[in-house]
Amino acid sequence: MMISVLVFCLFVSRFSGIYGLSMNYYGMRCPMVEMLVRNTVNRALDSDPSLAAGLLRMHFHDCFVEGCDGSVLLDSTKDNTGEKDSPANLSLRGYEIIDAAKDLIEDQCPGIVSCADIVAMAARDAVLWAGGPLYDIPKGRKDGRRSKIEDTRNLPSPFLNSSELISIFSKHGFSVQDMVSLSGAHTLGVARCSSFKNRLQKFDSSHEVDPTLDSNFASTLSKTCTAGDNAEVPFDQTRNSFDNSYFNGLRRSSGVLSSDQTLYSSPRTRGLVNAYAMNTARFFFDFQQAMVKMGLIDVKEGNQGEVRQNCRVIN
């Protein structure tokens, strides 16, 4: 275990100074920021554990569109429809947690901490609260000024197969291992029936139901979805706990989304699914490395961005 921690620390240290980021970026100017974010996140999750999935998903959806720049937080205006109003983002939750943390931070050190960094820290703290790994992230991201609904086409669809997922993630510099470990974020949260109902009837010319889906599980999903497209199903059996149950579910053909089950169906990714299902520590280690990497996607620096006073509005 000590060796694993040392290896991760060496991995993280490589990113100190990249894009002007550093682990202790706010050490002198806002030393309380980590505590303020963590306390805000913990209070919110103590009240509603399901918000852990929301904060983690928000960070992912932010980073995959215009980079990790808080663009998903910006409200739409009469002249512009923002990312948060895209169909892909209508189910995002946790904006009020980011707002609450920002308000506390602005009281202590106004104009210093970016909303993009708060999103990254909140996702990290949500993972820890839910029982996942403890890890640190470099900070110093600037907030972007662009948020457009059309940019959300870059978000991975729940209908993709493993080859398509590998291709999309590789464009952001992720390996196959990174992609599979990040998919493990689906150990938290739920999926709406609209994102997987295509697997339950008239799947293709040869099958009524997706043949990669366990028949009993398919029946359970079908019953749930009689309530409509917005009915929800947990990704795994421990929806509010960060563990490796998601990967064990894939081995039982109980992946909810096509983009989940494809990881076990495909020979290119099955070995990693098996490894993570059998070894939680390996999943945690690979996941935390991939999360640090994700937090560096297209980071804004200097005059490329700003530090918003209100996370919902450009200064």
Side-chain angles (χ1 to χ4, degrees):
M1 179 61 72
M2 288 300 295
I3 293 175
S4 294
V5 171
L6 176 60
V7 170
F8 179 65
C9 288
L10 290 172
F11 167 81
V12 167
S13 69
R14 289 168 45 205
F15 299 113
S16 236
I18 292 180
Y19 308 115
L21 306 188
S22 70
M23 293 299 175
N24 199 36
Y25 185 84
Y26 298 114
M28 296 296 291
R29 296 183 297 162
C30 193
M32 303 289 283
V33 63
E34 299 271 358
M35 184 190 74
L36 291 172
V37 173
R38 182 158 291 167
N39 288 348
T40 303
V41 168
N42 288 351
R43 280 195 299 270
L45 300 190
D46 286 342
S47 176
D48 184 357
S50 69
L51 286 169
L55 290 173
L56 182 53
R57 187 163 174 252
M58 182 187 294
H59 184 35
F60 177 84
H61 280 226
D62 182 35
C63 290
F64 260 64
V65 180
E66 286 293 302
C68 306
D69 65 350
S71 56
V72 74
L73 304 174
L74 289 169
D75 286 340
S76 296
T77 67
K78 64 178 182 179
D79 300 317
N80 179 69
T81 303
E83 295 170 28
K84 66 165 55 173
D85 287 320
S86 163
N89 285 334
L90 291 179
S91 60
L92 286 185
R93 302 172 64 221
Y95 294 113
E96 70 282 0
I97 302 174
I98 306 301
D99 291 337
K102 178 65 170 174
D103 288 344
L104 290 173
I105 293 165
E106 285 297 303
D107 286 342
Q108 294 286 328
C109 31
I112 300 297
V113 181
S114 69
C115 299
D117 273 348
I118 296 173
V119 170
M121 287 186 278
R124 175 203 61 190
D125 295 342
V127 168
L128 180 64
W129 184 93
L134 169 66
Y135 59 96
D136 199 4
I137 53 173
K139 291 159 284 286
R141 299 162 186 80
K142 292 294 180 65
D143 297 321
R145 301 182 181 94
R146 173 189 173 95
S147 181
K148 293 187 175 293
I149 188 173
E150 57 264 29
D151 293 341
T152 61
R153 63 181 178 271
N154 295 320
L155 290 169
S157 157
F159 312 110
L160 300 180
N161 61 39
S162 62
S163 294
E164 292 166 329
L165 287 169
I166 290 169
S167 176
I168 287 178
F169 275 75
S170 68
K171 291 177 183 177
H172 292 288
F174 291 114
S175 67
V176 175
Q177 175 181 289
D178 293 330
M179 184 273 287
V180 177
S181 64
L182 287 173
S183 297
H186 280 176
T187 183
L188 298 175
V190 298
R192 292 185 176 182
C193 287
S194 57
S195 61
F196 60 82
K197 66 180 182 179
N198 67 302
R199 305 181 70 198
L200 304 177
Q201 58 182 357
K202 299 179 181 178
F203 178 69
D204 60 27
S205 59
S206 304
H207 305 92
E208 176 68 11
V209 176
D210 185 344
T212 66
L213 190 60
D214 175 80
S215 57
N216 290 330
F217 188 56
S219 297
T220 299
L221 294 179
S222 294
K223 290 176 183 176
T224 299
C225 291
T226 58
D229 282 359
N230 289 329
E232 296 175 339
V233 173
F235 282 116
D236 70 19
Q237 297 174 340
T238 57
R239 58 177 286 182
N240 294 325
S241 296
F242 196 98
D243 53 32
N244 67 342
S245 294
Y246 165 80
F247 295 106
N248 283 293
L250 301 186
R251 298 174 81 191
R252 296 191 302 270
S253 299
S254 297
V256 177
L257 306 178
S258 296
S259 57
D260 292 322
Q261 195 58 49
T262 187
L263 301 179
Y264 191 68
S265 303
S266 169
R268 294 183 70 182
T269 50
R270 185 182 302 135
L272 285 163
V273 171
N274 284 329
Y276 295 151
M278 292 185 288
N279 190 332
T280 302
R282 178 174 176 183
F283 165 47
F284 279 16
F285 183 74
D286 289 352
F287 178 82
Q288 61 193 18
Q289 290 195 78
M291 284 295 288
V292 172
K293 195 172 180 179
M294 187 181 79
L296 297 172
I297 295 177
D298 295 334
V299 167
K300 307 290 189 299
E301 59 179 334
N303 59 12
Q304 293 176 334
E306 62 186 15
V307 174
R308 284 185 220 137
Q309 295 178 339
N310 179 334
C311 290
R312 296 172 179 261
V313 183
I314 295 170
N315 289 346

